[in-house]
Amino acid sequence: MLRRFGSARAALETVPQLARRGERSRTVAAVPRAEAETELSALDRAGARLICWGEPLYPRALTAIEDAPPILTVLGRAELLPRPMVAVVGARNASANGRRLSPELAASLGEGGVVVISGLARGIDAAAHLGALETGSVAVVAGGIDVVYPEENRGLYDALARQGAIIAELPLGTEPQARHFPRRNRIISGMALGVVVVEAAARSGSLITVRFALEQGRDVFAVPGSPLDPRCRGCNDLLRRGAILTENADDVLSQLTVQLRDAPPAPPPTPTLTATDYVRIEPPHPIADEDGLEMILERLSPTPVAVDELVRQCHLSAAAVATLLLELELAGRVERHPGNLVSLR
Amino acid sequence: MLRRFGSARAALETVPQLARRGERSRTVAAVPRAEAETELSALDRAGARLICWGEPLYPRALTAIEDAPPILTVLGRAELLPRPMVAVVGARNASANGRRLSPELAASLGEGGVVVISGLARGIDAAAHLGALETGSVAVVAGGIDVVYPEENRGLYDALARQGAIIAELPLGTEPQARHFPRRNRIISGMALGVVVVEAAARSGSLITVRFALEQGRDVFAVPGSPLDPRCRGCNDLLRRGAILTENADDVLSQLTVQLRDAPPAPPPTPTLTATDYVRIEPPHPIADEDGLEMILERLSPTPVAVDELVRQCHLSAAAVATLLLELELAGRVERHPGNLVSLR
């Protein structure tokens, strides 16, 4: 929408109008200014800040994923976020071996120049965060940024807020619920160049992160373990399916050589920008006319069709089709699918 | 030679004559009959027997390797030898995990219908032998069949002699020396459809067995382990290089489905045969003439050349070229190389 309307302000003003035109049953209204300001003040009091998609501090790799969060809440050293990152995740009930190996691995990855991301869970996650605390450690939490979960990791949370960073997608005060964890995991893999699984039982949460990593085209690394330990079953299974066998940080860093070499330098520290400060990507397009809307509706069905195909068939500009589809989407009449496909609801 | 001369007797009579013709400096003479008979009696007293290449009880897979032993000494149930086999090998200083896993694996392989082979060493080997004692367990020893090494495995040796089988390439009474072990390892891998490495440090003896297995076209299986345990380094490294990740017997058996399905049924029990009883493979060829010898010598150089190429260039039959090359080899003038290549010494 920023790209379509040229600024956040213009988008916010136009959306309700578009939604009306799209004959959507329920009204679309922007969050009232006062409510937004209250939330910003609360964030400020919590020592946190917002980072929006497109801002220099927004995690680089995350920008590219299909459902990148438009806004992240960040506590701690936001300057860590644009640096190359690797996720280290694993079992909560980690073995003694896993608890020893993951901080070593995380520390060596840090020495190798990457920031380590994990999920602030017990076990492997916590150990990995600790190992990389000196070099760069980022936790992505499932609830609001001010909600410490699990409680036993409060000390680690405080350390990360001081020395590392904590990231949340959901608003302040949100208590994490079961359905939030997979959504959170997509951010962990999405921020990372690769995901290292240290220990994981079959059907564990770490394997959800791996599924996202594969969808997002990230490298998946797995630490092998004894077949006698069920906590290694997930990793051994990943290895069987082609994950990169990982005994130490070199196994990871050597695989990521190209990405690390091509990583742009971190941006200089900047003051927080507001949306209107920097979103000047494209001039606003005139809202497309009713004829265009009709043409597109005629060509849509419940079977998904490529947006490019619509552009070609309607003889409209890609920008005009995008605006019309946005309008129909806001009106609840169009559904989007992966691969830039759309269908009629 | 059996194939060339039609019987062991004919070969033994012809070889000294060939060697003389080849202008070899030292004389080639068959072992005197009395000496051979003494050795056979000693074997008999030890309860052992000979099995020769080509006999029904000779291990099937071993028949096909380039340097298959012409004669094996066997103690115990020789009827195990023609059955499909899998080798289970690993570290002598095995971990508790390895000592627990290898007998389980060996027992399950046995239940799956394969005979388990190993090297009677301490650690993984001994544990694997024990696990498969009920279903079929074969030890290949580096020295003579009557020499128990290491001494601590005497109990296992006795159990194998009763319930399983022990095999040796070297004559009775030979004390195993360092150089004998790699030669022994080629027999272990050569007898097997696949080699499973349970634990192996970097540069360990098990990796020599793997090298032979790869040269012989055998599948290599490796059990993953923690990077924190140096005894797992060899296995993890094998996995990185493409070995099949193995957590249990199914991982092995499912890979060998085709070979196990196509394995011919075990031969019926037969009395021991003597070489002259069964070697009637081909009628004897006349010894090739001096002209052929000259033609071949002209075309040979210190650079290895394919035997097929010699056949084509000399316009001789393959059988004639083979006889001439054998003659030159006995005379110490020709050297053989893998891939059916020969060169002038």
Side-chain angles (χ1 to χ4, degrees):
Chain A
M1 285 167 61
L2 290 170
R3 200 177 267 148
R4 188 62 47 224
F5 300 108
S7 74
R9 178 182 299 273
L12 287 173
E13 284 169 2
T14 319
V15 164
Q17 179 192 343
L18 280 174
R20 269 195 305 280
R21 280 171 43 112
E23 297 158 24
R24 192 180 188 144
S25 49
R26 79 187 168 83
T27 343
V28 172
V31 169
R33 187 179 187 97
E35 208 174 299
E37 281 173 345
T38 306
E39 192 168 337
L40 285 168
S41 315
L43 273 176
D44 204 41
R45 281 194 305 277
R49 62 186 285 184
L50 291 184
I51 293 183
C52 300
W53 192 94
E55 281 194 303
L57 289 178
Y58 193 90
R60 284 246 166 69
L62 192 61
T63 310
I65 75 168
E66 196 127 359
D67 51 353
I71 296 176
L72 295 172
T73 320
V74 183
L75 192 63
R77 295 169 57 206
E79 66 270 24
L80 292 173
L81 303 190
R83 284 178 47 193
M85 296 187 178
V86 167
V88 177
V89 300
R92 284 192 297 277
N93 65 337
S95 72
N97 265 353
R99 283 172 205 269
R100 205 179 113 201
L101 191 134
S102 54
E104 282 179 20
L105 185 67
S108 312
L109 285 170
E111 282 157 25
V114 301
V115 170
V116 171
I117 331 169
S118 199
L120 199 71
R122 292 191 294 119
I124 298 297
D125 284 24
H129 282 308
L130 273 174
L133 209 49
E134 303 279 316
T135 49
S137 189
V138 175
V140 186
V141 296
I145 199 145
D146 55 341
V147 179
V148 179
Y149 179 86
E151 178 56 34
E152 67 180 272
N153 283 346
R154 181 171 292 277
L156 177 57
Y157 174 95
D158 291 340
L160 284 166
R162 278 193 312 273
Q163 290 182 261
I166 301 165
I167 290 184
E169 180 182 22
L170 293 178
L172 269 177
T174 311
E175 287 292 332
Q177 291 167 21
R179 67 193 158 88
H180 294 150
F181 289 88
R183 298 282 299 160
R184 184 275 308 269
N185 291 359
R186 96 186 190 285
I187 303 181
I188 292 180
S189 56
M191 286 168 67
L193 299 174
V195 173
V196 186
V197 187
V198 176
E199 275 180 351
R203 286 185 301 279
S204 67
S206 306
L207 300 184
I208 296 177
T209 310
V210 165
R211 212 190 57 216
F212 284 120
L214 292 172
E215 284 174 13
Q216 295 160 350
R218 308 295 188 248
D219 283 323
V220 174
F221 301 85
V223 176
S226 167
L228 296 176
D229 190 339
R231 287 168 292 204
C232 302
R233 202 141 305 156
C235 278
N236 288 340
D237 206 45
L238 289 173
L239 290 171
R240 205 179 268 125
R241 286 153 54 204
I244 298 153
L245 192 142
T246 301
E247 293 184 297
N248 52 48
D250 279 344
D251 292 325
V252 179
L253 296 169
S254 62
Q255 175 69 18
L256 299 175
T257 310
V258 174
Q259 291 99 311
L260 293 173
R261 194 190 57 205
D262 295 351
T270 49
T272 312
L273 302 173
T274 65
T276 41
D277 280 337
Y278 66 85
V279 179
R280 300 281 178 222
I281 302 170
E282 250 179 81
H285 291 278
I287 288 170
D289 61 15
E290 291 297 334
D291 289 353
L293 207 62
E294 278 311 305
M295 272 200 288
I296 285 183
L297 278 171
E298 267 169 32
R299 282 163 180 81
L300 284 175
S301 79
T303 309
V305 61
V307 171
D308 290 348
E309 187 59 29
L310 290 176
V311 170
R312 214 167 49 75
Q313 291 195 9
C314 297
H315 302 286
L316 292 172
S317 72
V321 171
T323 308
L324 289 162
L325 284 173
L326 177 61
E327 189 174 330
L328 290 166
E329 195 183 359
L330 285 167
R333 299 179 67 185
V334 153
E335 192 172 0
R336 293 196 183 265
H337 305 275
N340 207 20
L341 301 179
V342 287
S343 70
L344 209 57
R345 264 184 194 276
Chain B
M1 285 169 59
L2 290 171
R3 199 176 271 146
R4 190 61 47 223
F5 300 107
S7 74
R9 179 183 299 272
L12 287 173
E13 283 169 2
T14 319
V15 164
Q17 178 193 345
L18 280 173
R20 267 194 308 279
R21 281 171 46 111
E23 298 157 25
R24 192 181 190 146
S25 49
R26 81 187 167 83
T27 341
V28 172
V31 170
R33 187 179 184 98
E35 207 174 301
E37 282 174 346
T38 307
E39 193 168 336
L40 284 169
S41 314
L43 272 176
D44 204 42
R45 280 194 304 276
R49 61 186 285 184
L50 291 184
I51 292 184
C52 302
W53 191 95
E55 281 195 304
L57 289 178
Y58 193 90
R60 284 246 167 67
L62 191 63
T63 310
I65 77 169
E66 197 125 1
D67 51 354
I71 295 176
L72 295 173
T73 320
V74 183
L75 192 62
R77 295 170 55 207
E79 65 271 25
L80 291 173
L81 304 190
R83 284 178 46 193
M85 297 188 176
V86 166
V88 176
V89 299
R92 282 191 297 275
N93 64 337
S95 71
N97 266 352
R99 282 171 207 269
R100 205 180 112 200
L101 191 134
S102 53
E104 283 179 19
L105 186 67
S108 313
L109 285 170
E111 282 157 27
V114 301
V115 170
V116 171
I117 330 168
S118 198
L120 199 73
R122 292 192 293 120
I124 299 297
D125 284 23
H129 281 309
L130 272 176
L133 209 48
E134 302 282 315
T135 49
S137 189
V138 174
V140 185
V141 296
I145 200 143
D146 55 340
V147 179
V148 180
Y149 179 86
E151 179 54 36
E152 68 181 271
N153 284 345
R154 180 170 291 276
L156 178 58
Y157 174 95
D158 291 339
L160 284 166
R162 274 194 313 272
Q163 290 182 262
I166 303 167
I167 290 183
E169 180 183 20
L170 294 178
L172 270 179
T174 311
E175 287 292 331
Q177 292 168 21
R179 69 194 158 85
H180 294 151
F181 289 89
R183 298 282 298 161
R184 184 275 309 267
N185 292 358
R186 97 186 190 287
I187 301 180
I188 291 181
S189 56
M191 285 169 66
L193 298 174
V195 174
V196 186
V197 188
V198 176
E199 276 183 347
R203 285 187 299 281
S204 66
S206 307
L207 299 183
I208 296 177
T209 310
V210 165
R211 212 189 59 217
F212 284 120
L214 293 171
E215 285 174 12
Q216 295 161 349
R218 306 296 187 247
D219 283 323
V220 174
F221 301 84
V223 176
S226 167
L228 296 177
D229 190 338
R231 286 168 292 205
C232 302
R233 201 142 305 157
C235 278
N236 289 339
D237 207 45
L238 288 174
L239 290 171
R240 203 180 268 123
R241 286 154 53 205
I244 297 152
L245 192 141
T246 301
E247 292 183 297
N248 52 49
D250 279 345
D251 291 327
V252 179
L253 296 170
S254 62
Q255 175 70 20
L256 299 176
T257 310
V258 175
Q259 291 100 311
L260 293 174
R261 195 190 56 207
D262 295 351
T270 50
T272 312
L273 301 174
T274 64
T276 41
D277 280 337
Y278 66 86
V279 180
R280 299 282 178 221
I281 303 171
E282 250 178 86
H285 290 277
I287 290 171
D289 62 14
E290 292 295 336
D291 290 353
L293 206 64
E294 278 312 306
M295 275 200 285
I296 286 185
L297 277 172
E298 267 169 32
R299 282 160 180 84
L300 284 175
S301 79
T303 309
V305 62
V307 171
D308 289 348
E309 186 59 29
L310 290 176
V311 170
R312 214 167 51 74
Q313 290 194 9
C314 298
H315 302 285
L316 291 171
S317 72
V321 171
T323 308
L324 291 163
L325 285 173
L326 175 62
E327 188 175 331
L328 291 166
E329 196 185 356
L330 285 167
R333 299 177 68 183
V334 153
E335 194 172 0
R336 293 197 183 265
H337 306 275
N340 206 19
L341 302 179
V342 287
S343 71
L344 210 57
R345 266 185 193 274

